[in-house]
Amino acid sequence: MNVRPYKPEDTATHARLFTETVHSSTQLTIRGNNLRLGSRSSRHGTLAQAFQRADCFVAEHDSEIVGFATLEPDGHLDYIYAHRRFQRQGVASALFQRIEQEAISRGVARIFAEASTTARPFFEHVGFRMIASQRIKHRGISFINFRMEKFVS
Ligand SMILES: CC(C)(COP(=O)(O)OP(=O)(O)OC[C@H]1O[C@@H](n2cnc3c(N)ncnc32)[C@H](O)[C@@H]1OP(=O)(O)O)[C@@H](O)C(=O)NCCC(=O)NCCS
């Protein structure tokens, strides 16, 4: 598997991967309004905007994008996704390793995220600790997620 920086032409593949992964997971991780499963074009727009604000990396397997992750300048890890067909195969771990290197090279000491119940074991696996749980509401649906952090150096 190869992890490389995102290129603008990856957006369409990202949007498909993102939607497929989110639809197949039991809980969504939502921070603010960044997760919107609207029309295809609005999804592209939202993701493209998110990727402009952040360092984004993609994981490729046989030239296919199988995951992606973003790191914002303040250390917020907003997105980390592995395609449903490639879960538990180390995709997110490889992406996180790259994100961690990037944070260190940028002098970002703390990476933080909001993890869903299903994603929490992954974050713990790569060394995050839970700060707090929180209940959030999105489109009338209530979710629990976990504020997690990892100090890197
Ligand atoms: C959470 C997610 C990113 C993990 O991706 P992944 O590529 O499957 O993770 P990895 O294969 O690198 O997993 C590494 C380790 O994390 C832990 N882990 C990962 N997913 C897990 C799960 N569903 N249940 C329990 N432990 C899990 C395990 O310890 C795993 O090691 P193992 O497979 O040898 O037991 C992926 O399930 C996903 O995309 N979920 C939907 C989107 C999401 O919730 N993203 C996070 C918020 S932005």
Side-chain angles (χ1 to χ4, degrees):
M1 195 187 328
N2 175 41
V3 176
R4 64 158 173 83
Y6 159 81
K7 294 184 288 213
E9 55 268 34
D10 293 329
T11 304
T13 316
H14 268 82
R16 196 172 57 245
L17 168 63
F18 178 72
T19 309
E20 286 175 4
T21 306
V22 168
H23 281 170
S24 69
S25 56
T26 52
Q27 274 200 312
L28 310 182
T29 295
I30 299 166
R31 184 201 197 221
N33 291 318
N34 65 10
L35 182 54
R36 287 187 229 112
L37 295 175
S39 67
R40 182 170 291 249
S41 60
S42 77
R43 279 200 305 272
H44 286 192
T46 306
L47 288 173
Q49 280 164 19
F51 300 153
Q52 275 162 19
R53 286 197 308 268
D55 286 308
C56 181
F57 297 94
V58 300
E60 280 180 326
H61 176 73
D62 284 346
S63 306
E64 184 186 355
I65 294 181
V66 294
F68 65 96
T70 60
L71 179 70
E72 294 177 347
D74 63 356
H76 183 227
L77 193 162
D78 201 6
Y79 296 90
I80 184 157
Y81 285 86
H83 191 281
R84 61 185 170 188
R85 280 192 289 113
F86 290 87
Q87 297 211 0
R88 303 298 287 265
Q89 294 177 43
V91 171
S93 296
L95 283 162
F96 183 71
Q97 204 177 5
R98 185 68 184 79
I99 288 279
E100 204 169 5
Q101 283 169 2
E102 190 68 21
I104 292 166
S105 74
R106 287 174 180 262
V108 173
R110 174 179 172 262
I111 302 177
F112 62 101
E114 295 79 34
S116 63
T117 305
T118 49
R120 183 178 163 183
F122 163 73
F123 282 100
E124 288 172 340
H125 177 82
V126 294
F128 280 72
R129 72 170 190 107
M130 206 252 288
I131 309 167
S133 63
Q134 55 192 13
R135 185 165 286 279
I136 46 170
K137 228 175 178 185
H138 182 72
R139 294 187 175 169
I141 304 170
S142 182
F143 299 93
I144 287 186
N145 72 13
F146 303 93
R147 289 173 43 222
M148 315 271 302
E149 68 179 4
K150 179 175 184 180
F151 288 89
V152 295
S153 56

